[in-house]
Amino acid sequence: MRFEPKGIIPPIVTPLNPDETLNEPVLRQLVNHFIAQGVHGLFPVGTTGEFYGLSEEEFDRIIRIVVEETAGRVPVYAGCNSIATKNVVRLVKMAKAAGADAVSVLTPMFVSQTQAEIYEYYRAIAEESELPVVIYNNRPKTNVMVNPETVARLAELPQIVGVKDSTGDMTNTGEYIRLTRHIEGFSVLVGRDTLILSGLHYGAKGAIASCANIAPRLVADIYEKFMAGDYEGALEDQFRLAPLRLACNMGSFPAVIKEGLCYEGFNVGKCMNPIQELTAPEKEKLYAIIRDIQPAGVN
């Protein structure tokens, strides 16, 4: 059977010490916290994990820690992102050796590709990969788009098992679903936290949700309630989550996510330079949102 990406998968922040080295104890703490809160997978070294500032040695260490601490309780998706195909292939092989269950591959950054080149990029990576591959489309960050027709072609390849759509464009997400709905085992995952329930109603299999770092139980409840047929409860939870996701616009990503975790008592540190902290008024606004959306006594 094909590996099936599904459920709520937090793209884990990378906890950092003041000198920007990895804070390993806090990373292990987060893994156990997220799993205890009911998430369905873990995704280290993605955009929220500041992959762009990590060395290959740090990449390898983070994956190994998350795999070790997870101990098979949920799947681990490793972010394998670079511009050149050969570099991504090397990261995929490292993720396999580290014990990851699947990989997420972002479109190449900086350079602009044709759809034919994007298809060849993912086809070549899938051919070399021994792990299931999730396409990661994040046009707002990369200015590169994987068109629905290209995703539909790639979905026919057995090693490519899903796509994460972070465009925030529900029409695009819907087209991903419509054009791949006949392909058994292929999953479309929502990458915009305000659209999780919309995507589930349309046929998405889950979400890679950055706000699940701060509110893992709340985000997992959207999925769990939907799957149980409690659509009103799922909608209410989606409404509760929305202000937190909208608050992410206050700072350069992922500053809000890290600040929220620090407020909850997780010493994840600050973002890598040059990303700066939120201002004092922005922090207070974020803290108020977190207090409002979280049940008493729940981080």
Side-chain angles (χ1 to χ4, degrees):
M1 290 181 61
R2 260 179 146 184
F3 176 89
E4 184 181 15
K6 62 182 179 180
I8 299 303
I9 306 157
I12 310 174
V13 302
T14 299
L16 297 175
N17 296 308
D19 62 356
E20 296 192 0
T21 57
L22 176 66
N23 188 328
E24 179 177 327
V26 175
L27 178 57
R28 292 183 183 276
Q29 181 187 20
L30 288 176
V31 168
N32 288 294
H33 169 64
F34 294 148
I35 294 173
Q37 291 290 302
V39 303
H40 309 94
L42 295 172
F43 175 19
V45 291
T47 306
T48 310
E50 301 174 87
F51 76 87
Y52 42 80
L54 299 171
S55 67
E56 288 192 358
E57 291 76 18
E58 289 169 322
F59 166 88
D60 183 66
R61 184 64 186 144
I62 291 167
I63 301 301
R64 290 182 183 276
I65 289 169
V66 173
V67 168
E68 177 185 315
E69 202 65 32
T70 298
R73 289 176 287 174
V74 296
V76 175
Y77 302 72
C80 297
N81 309 309
S82 189
I83 294 175
T85 303
K86 65 180 181 180
N87 294 338
V88 177
V89 169
R90 183 168 63 252
L91 292 175
V92 170
K93 292 182 184 300
M94 290 174 65
K96 169 67 175 176
D101 298 288
V103 294
S104 165
V105 178
L106 184 62
T107 52
M109 298 144 279
F110 185 71
V111 294
S112 299
Q113 306 92 45
T114 65
Q115 291 301 300
E117 287 167 334
I118 290 172
Y119 176 85
E120 178 57 25
Y121 174 77
Y122 282 106
R123 186 209 61 76
I125 292 166
E127 186 177 77
E128 293 284 340
S129 177
E130 295 181 52
L131 292 175
V133 176
V134 177
I135 301 163
Y136 179 10
N137 183 46
N138 193 342
R139 186 178 189 176
K141 290 283 191 256
T142 65
N143 202 34
V144 175
M145 182 71 178
V146 189
N147 288 346
E149 295 79 10
T150 304
V151 167
R153 289 180 63 204
L154 289 166
E156 299 285 353
L157 303 177
Q159 209 65 17
I160 295 185
V161 298
V163 60
K164 174 193 177 186
D165 186 18
S166 293
T167 61
D169 181 347
M170 192 57 212
T171 297
N172 189 71
T173 304
E175 282 300 278
Y176 282 173
I177 295 166
R178 183 179 72 85
L179 295 178
T180 63
R181 69 192 188 282
H182 64 286
I183 301 175
E184 185 176 355
F186 186 83
S187 300
V188 176
L189 301 171
V190 177
R192 184 62 62 89
D193 296 5
T194 48
L195 297 177
I196 296 171
L197 185 58
S198 299
L200 291 172
H201 275 293
Y202 215 93
K205 300 293 179 61
I208 297 176
S210 60
C211 289
N213 280 273
I214 297 174
R217 184 65 261 169
L218 175 60
V219 184
D221 278 346
I222 297 172
Y223 176 81
E224 296 286 359
K225 289 178 182 179
F226 176 85
M227 296 302 291
D230 180 8
Y231 304 127
E232 289 186 9
L235 179 60
E236 189 57 37
D237 286 340
Q238 179 71 83
F239 285 154
R240 284 176 58 205
L241 180 66
L244 179 59
R245 177 61 184 85
L246 295 174
C248 289
N249 296 327
M250 288 193 299
S252 297
F253 194 81
V256 166
I257 302 299
K258 281 198 156 181
E259 186 61 45
L261 280 164
C262 287
Y263 176 70
E264 292 181 332
F266 298 98
N267 186 25
V268 299
K270 305 308 176 185
C271 295
M272 297 179 194
N273 287 321
I275 303 305
Q276 300 297 297
E277 294 184 51
L278 303 183
T279 64
E282 289 170 339
K283 289 181 182 181
E284 286 305 317
K285 181 178 179 181
L286 174 62
Y287 301 162
I289 290 170
I290 293 173
R291 289 193 296 268
D292 189 54
I293 69 172
Q294 297 283 42
V298 177
N299 282 335

